[in-house]
Amino acid sequence: MRIGKPSEISVDPFDGDWVDDYLLAGRDGDVWLRRGEPVTVGALRAMVAERAGELREVGLRPGGAVGLRMPPGLEYVVNLLAAWRVGAQVSLLDHRLTPHEVSQALARIAPQFIVGDGASIAAYPGEPARTDHALLQLSSGSTGPSKVVGRTATALVTEVETYRLIDGTPQPGERIVLLASMVHVLGLVGGLLYGLRTGVQLVLPGALTTDAILGAVAGGPEPATVLGVPTHLPFLTAGSARRLPQLARMTVGGELVRPAARQAFTDRYGVPLGNMYGMTEVGVIATDLFGEHRPALRPIPGMAVREEAGQLLVGTAASPYVGLTDPGRWVDGWLYTKDAGAVDATGLVTVHGRLDSQVSVGGLKVDLTEVEQALTGLPGVVEAVVAWDGAIEAFVVLEDPAGVPALKDALAGRLAAYKRPRRLTVVTRLPRTSSGKLIRAVPVLRATPRAPRPATPVSTT
């Protein structure tokens, strides 16, 4: 591999040496992770080497493909790095997905092996990697099924090196209290990979509670940055005030922060609440880690961002998508983000929200089209519209309005909890335009006559 300026980085896609030479190049005795007992770089290196040997024994080879589905933690990290060390392509599957969603994903990515909870290894009737990407992730699209996003080892290393150029990122000798999931790009690259490369210590709270998170921040003398999404903010501001001199800042990504939540955090701690804008397709795009430009952000070094007809476009050398996708998403070196926004004369970027049906729930992307298709595919559902008004809301026409409990149970088997509608209303009909298209405006939908039973919206949570 060749490491220099971000524009000069080159990593052989199926040469696993980059794991040892780049990610695990720290000193043996350095602590890289704290979750209960500390884990050193040397201990991690030994665990990764042992697991890589086990993966080779079952037949995984350079250029092979493996799906990884387990909760984020030490075991997850070991298996991810071990598969990369073998030289394989790794597909990340969120452990919260239902078996139905997993089976749909596996049919598309078709790995040779699946590593599951408990580090079990199961063969899958797939095939070796069909591209030179080190990482595959599923990203909900604006229409139709999820897209498969590929990241090369070069792209991952380049993003880590770019993080090092951003003013305000944690430095060696500091800590990252990681709340963002390591299955998704913010926690994976901005937390795990960045921490491994730079020697910034990673701290995983024992639970997602106020006491556990504040205890993790207070658990060492080093300055700490909390890295998460806006839904994690209440954990930092709940309960009585607690003095935390170690807290240097909190950085959030994934969705816009409500002004009241921002104010509550800054009033409580008096430290910056930084913001990051990024996508699974390209990683981090723009940041404002000191809160200087709110609500605008500065593109990261080397990132080209422009505006076209109110949509943000990001410059990329190649399409990030694997397999069939909308040909209009990447054109002539520009990725159409489907995010509404503006770029001012100084280059600052302001994100206004989504242009399409994709929304963010707790920092996790959800495609409303996917939810709608899941609903309309269930027995007894005549038609459905899924909308967003601060939460996912569904309006359905049923053959039997009394069938809501069965509908709720069936939906739970098809969609992860964070994707399910928080409000489900049974109506007699769905409003349409004069041309016959379904109307998706929430006020119009809420004014639609309800079915006789149930007479009131039924919670699906």
Side-chain angles (χ1 to χ4, degrees), residues 190-254:
L192 172 61
L193 303 187
Y194 176 78
L196 282 172
R197 175 57 181 172
T198 60
V200 174
Q201 189 179 124
L202 210 61
V203 181
L204 301 181
L208 197 59
T209 64
T210 295
D211 287 344
I213 293 170
L214 299 185
V217 174
E222 306 91 349
T225 293
V226 176
L227 183 62
V229 297
T231 52
H232 293 136
L233 276 168
F235 292 108
L236 276 294
T237 55
S240 58
R242 178 174 176 178
R243 186 171 177 272
L244 288 175
Q246 303 93 332
L247 182 61
R249 68 165 36 80
M250 183 174 183
T251 299
V252 297

Coordinates of all heavy atoms in Angstrom, one line a residue, residues 190-254:
G190 N -15.4 7.1 11.3 CA -15.0 8.2 12.2 C -14.7 7.8 13.6 O -14.1 8.5 14.4
G191 N -15.2 6.6 14.0 CA -14.9 6.0 15.3 C -13.8 4.9 15.3 O -12.7 5.1 15.6
L192 N -14.2 3.8 14.8 CA -13.4 2.6 14.9 C -12.1 2.7 14.1 O -11.0 2.6 14.6 CB -14.1 1.4 14.4 CG -13.3 0.1 14.2 CD1 -12.7 -0.4 15.5 CD2 -14.1 -1.0 13.6
L193 N -12.2 2.9 12.8 CA -11.0 3.0 11.9 C -10.1 4.2 12.2 O -8.8 4.0 12.3 CB -11.3 3.0 10.4 CG -12.2 1.8 10.0 CD1 -12.4 1.8 8.4 CD2 -11.7 0.5 10.4
Y194 N -10.7 5.3 12.5 CA -9.9 6.5 12.8 C -9.2 6.3 14.2 O -8.0 6.6 14.3 CB -10.8 7.7 12.9 CG -10.1 9.0 13.4 CD1 -9.3 9.7 12.5 CD2 -10.2 9.4 14.7 CE1 -8.6 10.9 12.9 CE2 -9.5 10.6 15.1 CZ -8.8 11.3 14.2 OH -8.1 12.4 14.7
G195 N -9.9 5.7 15.1 CA -9.2 5.5 16.4 C -8.1 4.5 16.3 O -7.0 4.7 16.9
L196 N -8.3 3.4 15.6 CA -7.2 2.4 15.4 C -6.0 3.0 14.8 O -4.8 2.8 15.2 CB -7.7 1.2 14.5 CG -8.6 0.2 15.2 CD1 -9.1 -0.8 14.2 CD2 -7.8 -0.6 16.3
R197 N -6.2 3.8 13.7 CA -5.0 4.4 13.0 C -4.3 5.4 13.8 O -3.1 5.5 13.8 CB -5.5 5.0 11.7 CG -4.4 5.7 10.9 CD -3.2 4.8 10.6 NE -2.2 5.5 9.9 CZ -1.0 5.0 9.6 NH1 -0.7 3.8 10.0 NH2 -0.1 5.7 8.9
T198 N -5.0 6.3 14.5 CA -4.4 7.4 15.2 C -4.0 7.2 16.6 O -3.2 8.0 17.2 CB -5.4 8.6 15.2 OG1 -6.6 8.2 15.9 CG2 -5.7 9.0 13.8
G199 N -4.5 6.1 17.2 CA -4.2 5.9 18.6 C -5.1 6.6 19.6 O -4.9 6.6 20.8
V200 N -6.2 7.2 19.0 CA -7.2 7.7 19.9 C -8.0 6.6 20.5 O -8.5 5.7 19.8 CB -8.2 8.6 19.1 CG1 -9.3 9.1 19.9 CG2 -7.4 9.8 18.5
Q201 N -8.1 6.6 21.8 CA -8.8 5.5 22.5 C -10.3 5.5 22.3 O -10.9 6.5 22.4 CB -8.4 5.6 24.0 CG -8.8 4.4 24.8 CD -8.5 4.6 26.3 OE1 -9.3 4.5 27.2 NE2 -7.2 4.9 26.5
L202 N -10.8 4.3 22.0 CA -12.2 4.1 21.8 C -12.9 3.6 23.1 O -12.4 2.7 23.7 CB -12.5 3.1 20.7 CG -13.7 3.3 19.8 CD1 -13.7 4.6 19.1 CD2 -13.8 2.1 18.9
V203 N -14.0 4.3 23.5 CA -14.7 3.9 24.7 C -16.1 3.6 24.4 O -16.8 4.4 23.8 CB -14.7 5.0 25.8 CG1 -15.4 4.6 27.1 CG2 -13.2 5.4 26.1
L204 N -16.5 2.3 24.7 CA -17.9 1.9 24.4 C -18.6 1.8 25.8 O -18.3 1.0 26.6 CB -17.9 0.6 23.7 CG -17.2 0.5 22.4 CD1 -17.4 -1.0 21.8 CD2 -17.7 1.5 21.4
P205 N -19.7 2.7 26.0 CA -20.4 2.6 27.2 C -21.1 1.2 27.4 O -21.4 0.5 26.4 CB -21.5 3.7 27.1 CG -21.0 4.6 26.0 CD -20.2 3.7 25.1
G206 N -21.2 0.8 28.6 CA -21.8 -0.6 28.9 C -23.2 -0.7 28.5 O -23.7 -1.8 28.2
A207 N -23.9 0.5 28.4 CA -25.3 0.5 28.0 C -25.6 1.9 27.5 O -24.9 2.8 27.7 CB -26.2 0.2 29.2
L208 N -26.7 2.0 26.7 CA -27.1 3.3 26.2 C -28.1 3.9 27.2 O -29.3 4.0 27.0 CB -27.8 3.1 24.8 CG -27.9 4.3 23.9 CD1 -26.5 4.9 23.7 CD2 -28.7 4.0 22.6
T209 N -27.5 4.4 28.3 CA -28.2 5.1 29.3 C -27.5 6.3 29.7 O -26.2 6.4 29.4 CB -28.4 4.2 30.6 OG1 -27.1 3.9 31.1 CG2 -29.1 2.9 30.2
T210 N -28.1 7.2 30.3 CA -27.5 8.5 30.8 C -26.3 8.2 31.7 O -25.2 8.7 31.5 CB -28.5 9.4 31.5 OG1 -29.4 9.8 30.5 CG2 -27.8 10.6 32.0
D211 N -26.5 7.3 32.7 CA -25.5 7.0 33.7 C -24.3 6.3 33.0 O -23.1 6.7 33.3 CB -26.0 6.1 34.8 CG -26.9 6.9 35.8 OD1 -26.9 8.1 35.7 OD2 -27.7 6.2 36.5
A212 N -24.5 5.4 32.1 CA -23.4 4.7 31.5 C -22.6 5.6 30.5 O -21.4 5.6 30.5 CB -24.0 3.5 30.7
I213 N -23.3 6.5 29.8 CA -22.6 7.4 28.9 C -21.8 8.4 29.7 O -20.6 8.6 29.4 CB -23.6 8.1 28.0 CG1 -24.3 7.1 27.0 CG2 -22.9 9.2 27.2 CD1 -25.4 7.6 26.2
L214 N -22.4 9.0 30.7 CA -21.7 10.0 31.5 C -20.5 9.4 32.2 O -19.4 9.9 32.4 CB -22.6 10.7 32.4 CG -23.7 11.5 31.8 CD1 -24.5 12.3 32.9 CD2 -23.2 12.5 30.7
G215 N -20.7 8.1 32.7 CA -19.7 7.4 33.4 C -18.5 7.1 32.4 O -17.4 7.1 32.9
A216 N -18.8 6.8 31.2 CA -17.8 6.6 30.2 C -16.9 7.8 30.0 O -15.7 7.8 29.8 CB -18.4 6.1 28.9
V217 N -17.6 9.0 29.9 CA -16.9 10.2 29.7 C -16.0 10.5 30.9 O -14.8 10.9 30.8 CB -17.8 11.4 29.5 CG1 -17.1 12.7 29.5 CG2 -18.6 11.2 28.2
A218 N -16.5 10.2 32.1 CA -15.8 10.5 33.4 C -14.8 9.4 33.7 O -14.0 9.5 34.7 CB -16.8 10.7 34.5
G219 N -14.7 8.3 32.9 CA -13.9 7.2 33.2 C -12.4 7.3 33.0 O -11.7 6.3 33.2
G220 N -11.9 8.5 32.6 CA -10.5 8.6 32.4 C -10.2 10.1 32.4 O -11.1 11.0 32.3
P221 N -8.9 10.5 32.6 CA -8.6 11.9 32.7 C -8.4 12.5 31.3 O -8.4 13.8 31.2 CB -7.2 11.8 33.4 CG -6.6 10.5 33.0 CD -7.8 9.6 32.9
E222 N -8.3 11.7 30.2 CA -8.1 12.3 28.9 C -9.3 13.0 28.4 O -10.4 12.7 28.7 CB -7.7 11.2 27.9 CG -6.5 10.3 28.4 CD -7.0 9.1 29.2 OE1 -8.2 9.1 29.5 OE2 -6.2 8.2 29.4
P223 N -9.1 14.1 27.5 CA -10.2 14.7 26.9 C -11.0 13.7 26.1 O -10.5 12.8 25.5 CB -9.5 15.8 26.0 CG -8.2 16.0 26.6 CD -7.8 14.7 27.2
A224 N -12.4 13.9 26.1 CA -13.2 12.9 25.5 C -14.2 13.7 24.5 O -14.8 14.7 24.9 CB -14.0 12.2 26.5
T225 N -14.3 13.1 23.3 CA -15.4 13.5 22.4 C -16.4 12.5 22.3 O -16.1 11.3 22.1 CB -14.7 13.7 21.0 OG1 -13.8 14.8 21.0 CG2 -15.8 14.0 19.9
V226 N -17.7 12.9 22.5 CA -18.8 11.9 22.3 C -19.2 12.0 20.9 O -19.5 13.0 20.3 CB -20.0 12.3 23.2 CG1 -21.2 11.4 23.0 CG2 -19.5 12.2 24.7
L227 N -19.3 10.8 20.2 CA -19.6 10.7 18.8 C -20.9 10.0 18.6 O -21.0 8.8 19.0 CB -18.5 10.0 18.0 CG -18.7 9.9 16.5 CD1 -18.7 11.3 15.9 CD2 -17.5 9.1 15.9
G228 N -21.9 10.6 18.1 CA -23.2 9.9 18.0 C -24.1 10.6 17.0 O -23.7 11.3 16.1
V229 N -25.4 10.5 17.2 CA -26.5 11.1 16.4 C -27.4 11.9 17.3 O -27.3 11.8 18.5 CB -27.3 10.0 15.6 CG1 -26.4 9.2 14.7 CG2 -28.0 9.0 16.6
P230 N -28.2 12.8 16.7 CA -29.0 13.7 17.5 C -29.9 13.0 18.5 O -30.2 13.6 19.6 CB -29.8 14.4 16.5 CG -28.9 14.5 15.3 CD -28.2 13.2 15.3
T231 N -30.3 11.8 18.3 CA -31.2 11.1 19.3 C -30.4 10.7 20.5 O -31.0 10.3 21.5 CB -31.8 9.8 18.7 OG1 -30.8 9.0 18.1 CG2 -32.8 10.2 17.6
H232 N -29.1 10.8 20.5 CA -28.3 10.5 21.7 C -28.2 11.8 22.6 O -27.8 11.7 23.8 CB -26.9 10.1 21.3 CG -26.8 8.8 20.6 ND1 -26.1 8.5 19.5 CD2 -27.5 7.6 20.9 CE1 -26.2 7.3 19.1 NE2 -27.1 6.7 20.0
L233 N -28.6 12.9 22.1 CA -28.4 14.2 22.9 C -29.2 14.1 24.2 O -28.6 14.5 25.2 CB -28.9 15.4 22.1 CG -27.8 16.0 21.1 CD1 -28.4 17.0 20.2 CD2 -26.7 16.6 22.0
P234 N -30.4 13.6 24.2 CA -31.1 13.6 25.5 C -30.4 12.8 26.6 O -30.6 13.1 27.8 CB -32.5 13.0 25.2 CG -32.7 13.3 23.7 CD -31.3 13.2 23.1
F235 N -29.6 11.8 26.2 CA -28.9 11.0 27.3 C -27.9 11.9 28.0 O -27.6 11.7 29.1 CB -28.2 9.8 26.6 CG -29.1 8.8 26.1 CD1 -29.3 8.6 24.8 CD2 -29.8 8.0 27.0 CE1 -30.1 7.6 24.3 CE2 -30.7 7.0 26.5 CZ -30.8 6.8 25.2
L236 N -27.4 12.9 27.2 CA -26.4 13.8 27.8 C -27.0 14.9 28.7 O -26.3 15.5 29.5 CB -25.5 14.4 26.7 CG -24.3 13.7 26.2 CD1 -23.2 13.5 27.2 CD2 -24.7 12.4 25.6
T237 N -28.3 15.2 28.4 CA -28.9 16.3 29.1 C -30.0 15.9 30.1 O -30.6 16.8 30.7 CB -29.5 17.3 28.1 OG1 -30.4 16.6 27.2 CG2 -28.5 17.9 27.2
A238 N -30.2 14.6 30.2 CA -31.2 14.1 31.2 C -30.7 14.2 32.6 O -29.5 14.2 32.9 CB -31.6 12.7 30.9
G239 N -31.6 14.3 33.6 CA -31.2 14.2 35.0 C -30.6 15.5 35.4 O -30.5 16.5 34.8
S240 N -30.0 15.4 36.6 CA -29.4 16.6 37.2 C -28.0 16.8 36.6 O -27.4 15.9 36.1 CB -29.2 16.4 38.7 OG -28.4 15.3 39.0
A241 N -27.6 18.1 36.6 CA -26.3 18.5 36.0 C -25.1 17.8 36.7 O -25.1 17.6 37.9 CB -26.1 20.0 36.1
R242 N -24.2 17.3 35.9 CA -23.0 16.7 36.4 C -21.8 17.3 35.8 O -21.7 17.5 34.6 CB -23.0 15.2 36.0 CG -21.8 14.4 36.4 CD -22.1 12.9 36.2 NE -20.9 12.1 36.5 CZ -20.8 10.8 36.4 NH1 -21.9 10.1 35.9 NH2 -19.8 10.1 36.7
R243 N -20.8 17.6 36.6 CA -19.6 18.3 36.1 C -18.7 17.3 35.3 O -18.4 16.2 35.9 CB -18.8 18.9 37.3 CG -17.6 19.7 36.8 CD -17.0 20.5 38.0 NE -15.8 21.2 37.6 CZ -14.6 20.7 37.6 NH1 -14.4 19.4 38.0 NH2 -13.5 21.4 37.2
L244 N -18.4 17.6 34.1 CA -17.6 16.7 33.3 C -16.4 17.4 32.6 O -16.5 17.8 31.5 CB -18.4 16.0 32.2 CG -19.4 14.9 32.6 CD1 -20.3 14.5 31.5 CD2 -18.7 13.7 33.3
P245 N -15.4 17.7 33.4 CA -14.3 18.5 32.8 C -13.6 17.8 31.7 O -12.9 18.4 30.8 CB -13.3 18.7 34.0 CG -13.7 17.6 34.9 CD -15.1 17.3 34.8
Q246 N -13.8 16.4 31.6 CA -13.1 15.7 30.5 C -13.8 15.9 29.1 O -13.3 15.6 28.1 CB -13.1 14.2 30.8 CG -12.4 13.8 32.1 CD -13.5 13.7 33.2 OE1 -14.5 14.4 33.2 NE2 -13.2 12.9 34.2
L247 N -15.1 16.3 29.2 CA -15.8 16.4 27.9 C -15.3 17.6 27.1 O -15.5 18.8 27.5 CB -17.3 16.6 28.2 CG -18.3 16.7 27.0 CD1 -18.2 15.4 26.2 CD2 -19.7 17.0 27.5
A248 N -14.8 17.3 25.9 CA -14.2 18.3 25.0 C -15.3 18.8 24.1 O -15.4 20.0 23.8 CB -13.1 17.8 24.3
R249 N -16.1 17.9 23.6 CA -17.2 18.3 22.7 C -18.1 17.0 22.4 O -17.7 15.9 22.7 CB -16.7 18.8 21.3 CG -16.0 17.8 20.5 CD -15.7 18.2 19.0 NE -15.4 19.6 18.9 CZ -14.3 20.1 19.1 NH1 -13.2 19.4 19.4 NH2 -14.1 21.4 18.9
M250 N -19.2 17.2 21.8 CA -20.0 16.2 21.2 C -20.1 16.5 19.7 O -20.4 17.6 19.3 CB -21.4 16.0 21.9 CG -22.2 14.9 21.3 SD -23.7 14.6 22.2 CE -24.3 13.1 21.4
T251 N -20.0 15.4 18.9 CA -20.1 15.6 17.5 C -21.2 14.7 17.0 O -21.2 13.5 17.4 CB -18.8 15.3 16.7 OG1 -17.8 16.2 17.1 CG2 -19.0 15.4 15.2
V252 N -22.2 15.2 16.3 CA -23.3 14.4 15.8 C -23.4 14.4 14.3 O -23.0 15.4 13.6 CB -24.7 14.8 16.4 CG1 -24.7 14.7 17.9 CG2 -25.0 16.3 16.0
G253 N -24.0 13.4 13.7 CA -24.3 13.3 12.3 C -25.5 12.5 12.1 O -26.0 11.9 13.1
G254 N -26.0 12.4 10.9 CA -27.1 11.6 10.6 C -28.4 12.3 10.3 O -29.3 11.8 9.6

